[in-house]
Amino acid sequence: MDLTDTIKASPYYDQYDQDYFTPFKDGDKLYGYPVLTGGTCTVVIYDKAMWKEAGYDEFPSTWEDVEKASEYFKDQGIDTVAFGNGGKWQANSDFLSTLGDRCTGKDWFQSLIDKGGAAFTDEAFVKALTETQHLFTETDIFNEDYNSVTNEDAREYYISGDAAAFIGGNWDESYIAATLKDSDEEKFNNIGFAVLPQPADATEDPDSQNIGLGYAVAINPKVADDPDKLAAAIDLAQEITGPAFSTYVAENYALGGLTKTEDVDLSKFDQITQDFYNYSYVDTTKCEIYDSYINSAVWDVLNTDLQTMMNGEMTPEEVAENAQKAYEENY
């Protein structure tokens, strides 16, 4: 059922996080109430003590400062940031989706989804590819084997202290936190979270991170044949996506719901869990995970070319042209 008017008439509508509706939209129409929001795909996990020793009270907000810090860490025999793109999808999901948003803004990717005229060859996206290639091939920020190891391998570099930071997703965060909580309490307590640094000359939201969604409540159009059933279905959909539900999943599972809530009691969780909840749902803004949309035929081409580009063997322009060709042929 088209739920656009129903959702907009909800008593909680003004509290809904509008970014969560994207996967359940077709044009301007809404077809579901998002229930559970998924975790981030792009978070910088860093060791506060190591960065403090390098002269930084928190993880830098620009790549220029990360490059400066890498001089210190290189002298210590430590990688500045661990990353693994051995599976080819990590550069897309865990890095470019967010870095790209900083260059293009949300409307560009929504236009790609809607076939609204945006193209992979647009200057802003090529700029994001160029910055990605620069960071991985022309600086000493990342581990040298970033294109051959996986994210599971790279996070071990962080856990062992061979890297001062790591970039990955919420699944990596949960593994790192659980491992350090059992094996190294001091390092566990020094876990910090940060958004991806802002690229030079980028003009879009510097606090964005890409977050995915799990499920939505939809309503069968046949229910509209019985007004009482329809009213009950709407009441149920709004109840299990409203403020009571959001508060429940936050206070019991440190997860977020559709409805924004304030003064959530997270006291049952350790400080790292509380900090990650705030990173995921409170202190940052949301953008989309590229490969959650469009189709795999496009991303298979882009992901393969990204890896080649990050080896310095393709230009950003060539990557963009191949992705656009795959988009036009398959989407």
Side-chain angles (χ1 to χ4, degrees), residues 17-33:
D17 191 324
Q18 297 298 317
D19 291 331
Y20 292 151
F21 283 106
T22 301
F24 311 109
K25 293 170 82 172
D26 184 10
D28 293 330
K29 294 182 178 181
L30 305 174
Y31 290 90
Y33 291 82

mmCIF file of all heavy atoms in Angstrom, residues 17-33:
data_model
loop_
_atom_site.group_PDB
_atom_site.id
_atom_site.type_symbol
_atom_site.label_atom_id
_atom_site.label_comp_id
_atom_site.label_asym_id
_atom_site.label_seq_id
_atom_site.Cartn_x
_atom_site.Cartn_y
_atom_site.Cartn_z
ATOM 1 N N ASP A 17 13.157 10.181 11.704
ATOM 2 C CA ASP A 17 14.392 10.515 11.024
ATOM 3 C C ASP A 17 14.177 10.252 9.534
ATOM 4 O O ASP A 17 14.136 9.102 9.089
ATOM 5 C CB ASP A 17 15.544 9.662 11.559
ATOM 6 C CG ASP A 17 16.899 10.146 11.073
ATOM 7 O OD1 ASP A 17 16.968 10.605 9.913
ATOM 8 O OD2 ASP A 17 17.876 10.063 11.834
ATOM 9 N N GLN A 18 14.041 11.295 8.761
ATOM 10 C CA GLN A 18 13.648 11.169 7.357
ATOM 11 C C GLN A 18 14.665 10.388 6.522
ATOM 12 O O GLN A 18 14.312 9.781 5.512
ATOM 13 C CB GLN A 18 13.443 12.567 6.757
ATOM 14 C CG GLN A 18 12.326 13.363 7.413
ATOM 15 C CD GLN A 18 10.965 12.708 7.259
ATOM 16 O OE1 GLN A 18 10.611 12.213 6.175
ATOM 17 N NE2 GLN A 18 10.187 12.682 8.342
ATOM 18 N N ASP A 19 15.914 10.384 6.936
ATOM 19 C CA ASP A 19 16.937 9.668 6.174
ATOM 20 C C ASP A 19 16.675 8.174 6.116
ATOM 21 O O ASP A 19 17.163 7.485 5.211
ATOM 22 C CB ASP A 19 18.319 9.902 6.787
ATOM 23 C CG ASP A 19 18.809 11.326 6.600
ATOM 24 O OD1 ASP A 19 18.418 11.946 5.596
ATOM 25 O OD2 ASP A 19 19.556 11.813 7.457
ATOM 26 N N TYR A 20 15.907 7.648 7.061
ATOM 27 C CA TYR A 20 15.684 6.206 7.112
ATOM 28 C C TYR A 20 14.641 5.717 6.110
ATOM 29 O O TYR A 20 14.466 4.512 5.929
ATOM 30 C CB TYR A 20 15.267 5.796 8.526
ATOM 31 C CG TYR A 20 16.365 5.933 9.559
ATOM 32 C CD1 TYR A 20 16.065 6.194 10.889
ATOM 33 C CD2 TYR A 20 17.699 5.803 9.207
ATOM 34 C CE1 TYR A 20 17.067 6.318 11.838
ATOM 35 C CE2 TYR A 20 18.704 5.926 10.136
ATOM 36 C CZ TYR A 20 18.386 6.184 11.454
ATOM 37 O OH TYR A 20 19.386 6.306 12.385
ATOM 38 N N PHE A 21 13.945 6.635 5.459
ATOM 39 C CA PHE A 21 12.901 6.212 4.520
ATOM 40 C C PHE A 21 13.444 5.849 3.134
ATOM 41 O O PHE A 21 12.743 5.215 2.350
ATOM 42 C CB PHE A 21 11.845 7.318 4.365
ATOM 43 C CG PHE A 21 10.889 7.414 5.513
ATOM 44 C CD1 PHE A 21 10.985 8.457 6.426
ATOM 45 C CD2 PHE A 21 9.887 6.473 5.696
ATOM 46 C CE1 PHE A 21 10.101 8.555 7.494
ATOM 47 C CE2 PHE A 21 8.992 6.559 6.760
ATOM 48 C CZ PHE A 21 9.106 7.604 7.663
ATOM 49 N N THR A 22 14.672 6.231 2.835
ATOM 50 C CA THR A 22 15.188 6.087 1.472
ATOM 51 C C THR A 22 14.994 4.691 0.874
ATOM 52 O O THR A 22 14.536 4.566 -0.267
ATOM 53 C CB THR A 22 16.674 6.482 1.420
ATOM 54 O OG1 THR A 22 16.806 7.833 1.867
ATOM 55 C CG2 THR A 22 17.228 6.365 0.009
ATOM 56 N N PRO A 23 15.305 3.596 1.580
ATOM 57 C CA PRO A 23 15.155 2.275 0.954
ATOM 58 C C PRO A 23 13.707 1.870 0.687
ATOM 59 O O PRO A 23 13.466 0.913 -0.046
ATOM 60 C CB PRO A 23 15.787 1.326 1.984
ATOM 61 C CG PRO A 23 16.585 2.189 2.874
ATOM 62 C CD PRO A 23 15.889 3.500 2.915
ATOM 63 N N PHE A 24 12.789 2.599 1.277
ATOM 64 C CA PHE A 24 11.380 2.201 1.186
ATOM 65 C C PHE A 24 10.560 3.231 0.409
ATOM 66 O O PHE A 24 9.353 3.338 0.566
ATOM 67 C CB PHE A 24 10.820 1.991 2.599
ATOM 68 C CG PHE A 24 11.715 1.122 3.428
ATOM 69 C CD1 PHE A 24 12.445 1.648 4.478
ATOM 70 C CD2 PHE A 24 11.869 -0.216 3.131
ATOM 71 C CE1 PHE A 24 13.312 0.858 5.229
ATOM 72 C CE2 PHE A 24 12.729 -1.024 3.866
ATOM 73 C CZ PHE A 24 13.453 -0.485 4.915
ATOM 74 N N LYS A 25 11.262 3.981 -0.450
ATOM 75 C CA LYS A 25 10.627 4.992 -1.275
ATOM 76 C C LYS A 25 10.653 4.575 -2.742
ATOM 77 O O LYS A 25 11.544 3.860 -3.187
ATOM 78 C CB LYS A 25 11.366 6.342 -1.140
ATOM 79 C CG LYS A 25 11.270 6.988 0.204
ATOM 80 C CD LYS A 25 12.213 8.175 0.319
ATOM 81 C CE LYS A 25 11.656 9.415 -0.288
ATOM 82 N NZ LYS A 25 12.524 10.599 0.009
ATOM 83 N N ASP A 26 9.672 5.073 -3.475
ATOM 84 C CA ASP A 26 9.693 5.004 -4.929
ATOM 85 C C ASP A 26 9.291 6.386 -5.405
ATOM 86 O O ASP A 26 8.123 6.757 -5.313
ATOM 87 C CB ASP A 26 8.727 3.937 -5.446
ATOM 88 C CG ASP A 26 8.804 3.787 -6.963
ATOM 89 O OD1 ASP A 26 9.724 4.367 -7.564
ATOM 90 O OD2 ASP A 26 7.943 3.110 -7.548
ATOM 91 N N GLY A 27 10.266 7.140 -5.880
ATOM 92 C CA GLY A 27 9.989 8.540 -6.154
ATOM 93 C C GLY A 27 9.704 9.257 -4.845
ATOM 94 O O GLY A 27 10.478 9.181 -3.892
ATOM 95 N N ASP A 28 8.548 9.919 -4.788
ATOM 96 C CA ASP A 28 8.151 10.623 -3.568
ATOM 97 C C ASP A 28 7.215 9.795 -2.690
ATOM 98 O O ASP A 28 6.763 10.259 -1.649
ATOM 99 C CB ASP A 28 7.455 11.950 -3.922
ATOM 100 C CG ASP A 28 8.409 12.935 -4.575
ATOM 101 O OD1 ASP A 28 9.607 12.880 -4.260
ATOM 102 O OD2 ASP A 28 7.946 13.739 -5.411
ATOM 103 N N LYS A 29 6.931 8.575 -3.098
ATOM 104 C CA LYS A 29 5.980 7.744 -2.366
ATOM 105 C C LYS A 29 6.683 6.856 -1.346
ATOM 106 O O LYS A 29 7.764 6.322 -1.608
ATOM 107 C CB LYS A 29 5.160 6.891 -3.334
ATOM 108 C CG LYS A 29 4.250 7.713 -4.241
ATOM 109 C CD LYS A 29 3.410 6.831 -5.146
ATOM 110 C CE LYS A 29 2.466 7.655 -6.006
ATOM 111 N NZ LYS A 29 1.616 6.792 -6.887
ATOM 112 N N LEU A 30 6.042 6.693 -0.199
ATOM 113 C CA LEU A 30 6.591 5.888 0.890
ATOM 114 C C LEU A 30 5.789 4.603 1.030
ATOM 115 O O LEU A 30 4.552 4.628 1.024
ATOM 116 C CB LEU A 30 6.532 6.675 2.206
ATOM 117 C CG LEU A 30 7.204 8.051 2.215
ATOM 118 C CD1 LEU A 30 6.932 8.777 3.533
ATOM 119 C CD2 LEU A 30 8.697 7.903 1.996
ATOM 120 N N TYR A 31 6.489 3.487 1.195
ATOM 121 C CA TYR A 31 5.822 2.187 1.242
ATOM 122 C C TYR A 31 6.107 1.403 2.515
ATOM 123 O O TYR A 31 5.771 0.228 2.600
ATOM 124 C CB TYR A 31 6.196 1.362 0.009
ATOM 125 C CG TYR A 31 5.584 1.909 -1.262
ATOM 126 C CD1 TYR A 31 6.257 2.859 -2.018
ATOM 127 C CD2 TYR A 31 4.314 1.511 -1.669
ATOM 128 C CE1 TYR A 31 5.690 3.376 -3.171
ATOM 129 C CE2 TYR A 31 3.739 2.024 -2.813
ATOM 130 C CZ TYR A 31 4.426 2.957 -3.567
ATOM 131 O OH TYR A 31 3.858 3.481 -4.708
ATOM 132 N N GLY A 32 6.723 2.024 3.500
ATOM 133 C CA GLY A 32 6.979 1.306 4.732
ATOM 134 C C GLY A 32 7.428 2.222 5.849
ATOM 135 O O GLY A 32 7.981 3.295 5.614
ATOM 136 N N TYR A 33 7.146 1.784 7.083
ATOM 137 C CA TYR A 33 7.666 2.429 8.280
ATOM 138 C C TYR A 33 8.959 1.691 8.673
ATOM 139 O O TYR A 33 8.883 0.534 9.103
ATOM 140 C CB TYR A 33 6.685 2.294 9.449
ATOM 141 C CG TYR A 33 5.389 3.046 9.362
ATOM 142 C CD1 TYR A 33 4.307 2.538 8.640
ATOM 143 C CD2 TYR A 33 5.209 4.236 10.062
ATOM 144 C CE1 TYR A 33 3.096 3.204 8.603
ATOM 145 C CE2 TYR A 33 4.001 4.915 10.040
ATOM 146 C CZ TYR A 33 2.944 4.398 9.298
ATOM 147 O OH TYR A 33 1.736 5.062 9.271
#
